[in-house]
Amino acid sequence: MDLIQTVLQIIPEMNYWLAEHPAVVHFRWSPTESWGSTWFFLIASISAYIAISTTLHVLLLLLRRQKPVPLGPIPALHSLAMALISATIFTGMLSSSVAEIRDTRWFWQRSKTPFQWLLCFPLGTRPSGRVFFWSYIFYLSRFLHIIKTFFTILRRRKFPFLQVFNHSILILMSFLWLEFSQSFQVLTILSMTLVFSLVYGYRFFTEIGFNEKSHFPFVMFCQIILLVTNLAWHIGVLVLHFWKGGCNGMGAWVFNTVLNSFVLMFFFHFYVKKSVNEKDFSSEVEANAITSDIRNKLE
């Protein structure tokens, strides 16, 4: 009973900090009030990310280092931090969405259901309030997310083009969500942060020694689920835009869709190529085993 009472006392306190705190309720996306909210910062940060990744890769090539650079517990700590941050954003966005629907439902309830509001913001929606606060936190968390690229370069000594491209696109898209109050961002952030918390939690346990013998492609499975859900949100917005008289931020939605199409294309190209290489490798191993067996018999 004491545990239940403690939990019941903690929930309202958490809800206050996640959805009712003045900093959350009165948030406003603007160049003067929000760090990193200018187009110059966006372009400069993405350019710096690509430049640092390229420079690090070139330095490793010039040094001709054959072995991976030892990173110790840093990747595990990064995965743990990303899992906790993603879980916090998911919880905050969920609590804020419930509170925002409760407070603004009188304005749009005749034309939309709560789920339709999550997909399709009314025309004229401004980037302020609870859900945009957590959208802003998600945008900032992308800069912590990109550190994983440097780990990949230091460990594998290869330039992860797909990863750099994907992270750059995600920074750009999360900026556009805020800049143009784009519809469907609430559901997309909920989907992404839920998947990220699971994936980075899995990577954390892998880094500290668990799941080493697991052959289930958990990360790829989560990525496929994320791609499918994002595709569903895109289609849902398009349907509601023509059915309900317009959704806010459709210009950014078109650009977002084009960028997601490139990500989807690169994703399938990468995994198809990976599957083909694995099959070729398995065939080569099997052929070598058969050849070796024949030689042993002849001898």
Side-chain angles (χ1 to χ4, degrees):
M1 290 295 293
D2 292 338
L3 178 61
I4 295 175
Q5 289 178 353
T6 304
V7 171
L8 291 176
Q9 290 174 355
I10 291 175
I11 290 176
E13 187 72 18
M14 286 182 59
N15 187 66
Y16 169 78
W17 287 102
L18 294 173
E20 303 297 342
H21 191 276
V24 178
V25 176
H26 303 298
F27 170 78
R28 181 169 174 262
W29 168 262
S30 71
T32 57
E33 298 180 24
S34 310
W35 182 82
S37 60
T38 63
W39 284 94
F40 174 78
F41 176 86
L42 174 70
I43 295 170
S45 59
I46 293 177
S47 300
Y49 166 56
I50 296 172
I52 293 172
S53 301
T54 306
T55 303
L56 185 60
H57 175 63
V58 171
L59 282 175
L60 289 176
L61 290 178
L62 293 175
L63 293 174
R64 296 182 179 180
R65 184 180 178 88
Q66 300 298 322
K67 296 182 179 179
V69 177
L71 299 174
I74 297 176
L77 293 174
H78 176 261
S79 295
L80 179 61
M82 285 303 305
L84 294 175
I85 291 171
S86 298
T88 303
I89 295 173
F90 174 83
T91 308
M93 180 61 84
L94 187 62
S95 301
S96 295
S97 299
V98 172
E100 204 69 27
I101 289 171
R102 179 199 64 207
D103 292 347
T104 62
R105 192 170 185 173
W106 62 271
F107 177 70
W108 45 262
Q109 64 180 348
R110 293 184 179 181
S111 59
K112 288 184 174 71
T113 65
F115 182 75
Q116 289 172 348
W117 178 83
L118 292 172
L119 269 177
C120 178
F121 288 154
L123 294 174
T125 299
R126 301 297 180 187
S128 61
R130 298 178 179 93
V131 296
F132 289 101
F133 170 84
W134 288 107
S135 181
Y136 176 60
I137 299 300
F138 178 82
Y139 165 65
L140 295 181
S141 70
R142 297 309 88 204
F143 295 101
L144 179 62
H145 188 202
I146 62 178
I147 295 176
K148 184 177 181 297
T149 302
F150 308 139
F151 298 157
T152 303
I153 295 172
L154 291 171
R155 281 178 162 178
R156 301 180 184 176
R157 305 178 308 282
K158 293 181 180 179
F159 187 78
F161 172 79
L162 179 61
Q163 194 175 89
V164 172
F165 178 79
N166 187 40
H167 287 176
S168 300
I169 292 300
L170 193 51
I171 292 173
L172 175 58
M173 287 194 303
S174 56
F175 179 90
L176 294 177
W177 293 345
L178 288 157
E179 186 70 13
F180 297 101
S181 304
Q182 188 177 326
S183 295
F184 90 94
Q185 64 176 282
V186 173
L187 290 175
T188 303
I189 291 173
L190 286 173
S191 302
M192 284 188 170
T193 50
L194 178 59
V195 169
F196 287 161
S197 61
L198 293 174
V199 167
Y200 277 100
Y202 176 84
R203 284 174 174 164
F204 168 72
F205 286 111
T206 301
E207 290 284 350
I208 63 176
F210 293 97
N211 303 320
E212 290 184 351
K213 296 181 180 180
S214 176
H215 297 289
F216 180 70
F218 180 78
V219 175
M220 185 177 72
F221 178 73
C222 289
Q223 288 174 337
I224 291 173
I225 291 177
L226 187 58
L227 287 170
V228 171
T229 54
N230 281 342
L231 180 61
W233 306 148
H234 274 273
I235 295 173
V237 171
L238 186 62
V239 172
L240 288 175
H241 177 67
F242 292 105
W243 181 33
K244 292 293 184 178
C247 298
N248 202 68
M250 287 306 291
W253 175 89
V254 173
F255 187 64
N256 202 336
T257 302
V258 173
L259 293 178
N260 275 325
S261 299
F262 280 109
V263 172
L264 190 64
M265 180 182 67
F266 281 117
F267 175 82
F268 281 114
H269 174 75
F270 172 78
Y271 279 108
V272 168
K273 185 177 179 181
K274 183 179 179 181
S275 298
V276 170
N277 290 338
E278 287 178 352
K279 287 181 180 179
D280 291 343
F281 177 75
S282 299
S283 300
E284 185 178 346
V285 170
E286 186 177 352
N288 290 336
I290 293 172
T291 304
S292 178
D293 186 52
I294 293 171
R295 285 177 180 174
N296 291 333
K297 289 180 179 180
L298 289 175
E299 291 175 356

